[in-house]
Amino acid sequence: MVEKASVLYLGLCCINYFLISLLLFPKSLFPQVMMMSDIAKDPVAHSRKKRGSVSSLSSHEFQRREIHGRTKDSMSTVSYMDEPSQRDDVSRLTVQMENTYQLGPPKHFPVVTVNHILKDVLTNYLQEEEYEPELCRQMTKTITEVIKAQVKDLVIPRYKFIVIVHIGQLNTQSILIASRCLWDPKSDAFSSYVFRNASLFALANVYAVYLE
């Protein structure tokens, strides 16, 4: 009887200790039980939390490898999104240009305006110059580039320009300069101007060819 009473007394003491511990320290003694109850209450939140922890670990691991200079074998992390962003949809769009079916120039080559450009450029560069072979050779390149740049500033769409400048000595001689082109007279055109002073002459031609 005494042994049974002592065993019963020890059992009651263990039960009381267990109940007191459960009331005073519920989370420290039973973390697994509490974790399982949290998962049962909100499984969706637990799965998102788990993804976030994996992503954070991967990013820390990537930073550590980058510091040590071993980014070659590292893995990149990918964060999930509920819906694709609008920027991704825009980047996949391709712009398709339709045919204009335009057979003629919307703006014709302004012959009179280009003639004034030729006159101004030749007069400004050659009015006070005397003929010297080397100087005129360099002057021919310079005048050609200036004329081409000023004609392009007119912004005539779909036209290609060819600029040719001749400079020669003026010494009572006779000279004939001719050109021949294969083009459409309805859309293609040219401008020409001849400059003379006491020592030299200059001929500038601009050919405008329309591209369909």
Side-chain angles (χ1 to χ4, degrees), residues 54-66 70-78:
V54 173
S55 177
S56 62
L57 288 174
S58 300
S59 62
H60 289 308
E61 183 181 359
F62 178 77
Q63 291 177 359
R64 185 169 59 254
R65 290 185 178 182
E66 186 176 5
R70 297 194 300 270
T71 58
K72 183 177 180 181
D73 298 329
S74 61
M75 297 178 61
S76 60
T77 59
V78 179

Side-chain angles (χ1 to χ4, degrees), residues 53-193:
S53 62
V54 173
S55 177
S56 62
L57 288 174
S58 300
S59 62
H60 289 308
E61 183 181 359
F62 178 77
Q63 291 177 359
R64 185 169 59 254
R65 290 185 178 182
E66 186 176 5
I67 292 174
H68 292 286
R70 297 194 300 270
T71 58
K72 183 177 180 181
D73 298 329
S74 61
M75 297 178 61
S76 60
T77 59
V78 179
S79 60
Y80 79 103
M81 292 182 294
D82 295 335
E83 296 179 358
S85 63
Q86 186 177 2
R87 183 180 300 177
D88 295 337
D89 295 337
V90 174
S91 62
R92 295 190 186 97
L93 297 178
T94 57
V95 179
Q96 296 181 356
M97 305 297 293
E98 295 183 358
N99 296 326
T100 59
Y101 302 103
Q102 182 176 332
L103 302 180
K107 179 181 179 181
H108 287 272
F109 180 72
V111 177
V112 178
T113 303
V114 177
N115 284 338
H116 290 303
I117 293 175
L118 299 179
K119 179 180 178 180
D120 294 339
V121 173
L122 293 177
T123 303
N124 293 332
Y125 278 86
L126 300 175
Q127 188 173 6
E128 302 296 333
E129 298 294 337
E130 294 184 358
Y131 180 78
E132 294 180 4
E134 185 64 26
L135 174 64
C136 291
R137 186 176 68 86
Q138 296 295 332
M139 194 65 69
T140 302
K141 296 180 180 179
T142 302
I143 293 174
T144 301
E145 294 297 328
V146 172
I147 293 173
K148 183 171 64 175
Q150 293 190 15
V151 173
K152 284 186 175 181
D153 289 340
L154 299 177
V155 189
I156 309 171
R158 293 195 175 189
Y159 270 97
K160 294 293 185 181
F161 304 106
I162 302 171
V163 181
I164 301 176
V165 176
H166 300 274
I167 299 177
Q169 185 179 12
L170 191 61
N171 192 16
T172 66
Q173 81 275 21
S174 177
I175 185 171
L176 178 64
I177 300 174
S179 61
R180 179 180 294 180
C181 301
L182 179 63
W183 61 16
D184 186 0
K186 295 181 180 179
S187 57
D188 304 332
F190 74 97
S191 293
S192 180
Y193 182 79

